[in-house]
């Protein structure tokens, strides 16, 4: 399967700390996206990084991409209780239907 | 309000029955997608559509049928439901397909007894 794998599966931190989650994938990609999912809701897009980019920032989010290692990381700085959610990476491969989500990281931020 | 809506939010049915999940978007996005979400598998693409009357299979299409007669609607039909199709189903849309972010509905939780 092309499916990405997030690591860790679950993460619990104190409010104000940084949270880092990782995504690994198996084949060449055109882009990699990160999404957030609150309990009982749909996914919300956070950030998209293209295969020729190495780092991207959006507010408190920092995403890196290492295509040689087929991995990406999502850093959330100064976490808040509202950041509690599951986070998924998604990769787009070489053709239209090669779009795969990882299994997700469940983040809990303790107030 | 603009957005993407799915109906019903919850559905219980029996094996062998036909069930249709509805998806409606108000952005006039070209692309629409159906995913299922299961523990341990993340989200898996069932079908997608690049425009009205154009549909294509994703990773797990077996047992599902889709149609797209209008840009804003993308219904998903389980022709003869099986217990393995118990899942949470998400519809999404995107203006430019795989190059751009997808916008998701809040899902339909489907239980097949």
């Amino acid at each position: 399967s092309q499916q990405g794998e997030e690591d860790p599966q679950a993460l619990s931190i104190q409010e104000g700390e940084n949270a880092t989650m990782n995504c690994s994938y198996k084949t060449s990609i055109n882009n990699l996206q990160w999404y957030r999912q609150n309990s009982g809701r749909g996914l919300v897009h956070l950030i998209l990084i293209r295969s020729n980019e190495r780092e991207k920032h959006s507010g408190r989010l920092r995403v890196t991409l290492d295509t040689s290692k087929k991995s990406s990381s999502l850093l959330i700085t100064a976490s808040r209780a509202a950041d509690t959610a599951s986070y998924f990476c998604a990769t787009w491969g070489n053709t239209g239907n090669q779009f795969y989500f990882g299994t997700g990281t469940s983040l809990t931020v303790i107030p | 309000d603009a957005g993407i809506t799915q109906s019903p939010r919850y559905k219980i049915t029996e094996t062998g029955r036909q069930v249709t999940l509805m998806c409606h978007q108000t952005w006039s996005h070209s692309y629409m997608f159906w995913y299922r979400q299961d523990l341990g598998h993340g989200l898996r693409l069932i079908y997608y559509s690049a425009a009205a009357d154009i549909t294509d299979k994703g990773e797990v299409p077996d047992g599902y049928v889709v149609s797209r007669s209008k840009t804003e609607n993308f219904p998903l039909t389980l022709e003869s439901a099986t217990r393995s199709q118990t899942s949470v189903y998400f519809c999404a849309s995107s203006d430019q397909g795989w190059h751009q972010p997808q916008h998701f509905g809040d899902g339909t939780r489907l239980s097949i007894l």
Side-chain angles (χ1 to χ4, degrees):
Chain A
S1 169
Q2 164 65 14
Q3 189 175 43
E5 304 245 344
E6 278 93 341
D7 171 55
Q9 288 188 329
L11 179 61
S12 183
I13 60 174
Q14 296 288 330
E15 201 167 31
E17 293 181 338
N18 295 342
T20 300
M21 50 205 88
N22 304 294
C23 168
S24 61
Y25 56 92
K26 295 183 179 178
T27 65
S28 298
I29 62 170
N30 283 282
N31 69 49
L32 185 145
Q33 302 176 36
W34 283 92
Y35 287 81
R36 184 188 74 228
Q37 183 181 32
N38 291 93
S39 181
R41 302 299 300 274
L43 280 73
V44 174
H45 180 263
L46 296 175
I47 199 162
L48 182 153
I49 186 166
R50 293 180 172 78
S51 60
N52 61 353
E53 298 176 308
R54 291 297 167 257
E55 188 170 313
K56 208 160 182 181
H57 296 256
S58 177
R60 294 184 296 113
L61 306 180
R62 173 179 170 251
V63 167
T64 61
L65 178 64
D66 187 335
T67 52
S68 67
K69 295 181 179 178
K70 293 186 172 58
S71 68
S72 174
S73 67
L74 171 67
L75 168 68
I76 304 174
T77 60
S79 63
R80 305 166 181 169
D83 294 328
T84 293
S86 292
Y87 292 82
F88 295 88
C89 66
T91 57
W92 177 40
N94 296 319
T95 65
N97 63 356
Q98 288 187 356
F99 193 79
Y100 300 102
F101 279 88
T103 50
T105 292
S106 176
L107 173 67
T108 302
V109 181
I110 303 166
Chain B
D1 289 342
I4 185 164
T5 54
Q6 294 183 236
S7 61
R9 287 296 314 276
Y10 303 91
K11 177 75 176 179
I12 300 173
T13 191
E14 297 177 340
T15 56
R17 300 238 180 181
Q18 181 180 83
V19 59
T20 296
L21 310 183
M22 305 301 293
C23 179
H24 175 79
Q25 54 109 351
T26 60
W27 291 300
S28 298
H29 284 167
S30 298
Y31 281 76
M32 295 188 75
F33 312 87
W34 274 107
Y35 295 91
R36 59 178 291 173
Q37 185 175 31
D38 305 288
L39 281 175
H41 286 98
L43 279 84
R44 291 180 290 175
L45 181 65
I46 304 171
Y47 269 96
Y48 69 100
S49 169
D53 297 321
I54 300 174
T55 62
D56 208 346
K57 296 177 180 179
E59 183 183 0
V60 289
D62 293 343
Y64 302 96
V65 174
V66 293
S67 63
R68 187 126 180 249
S69 58
K70 292 184 178 181
T71 300
E72 61 267 29
N73 297 323
F74 191 37
L76 176 74
T77 297
L78 289 67
E79 292 193 307
S80 180
T82 65
R83 288 190 180 142
S84 65
Q85 293 176 309
T86 292
S87 186
V88 182
Y89 290 85
F90 287 97
C91 178
S93 71
S94 172
D95 191 29
Q96 296 182 27
W98 316 102
H99 297 277
Q100 294 294 329
Q102 295 179 29
H103 303 269
F104 282 77
D106 280 335
T108 293
R109 185 174 294 275
L110 177 63
S111 295
I112 300 165
L113 307 179

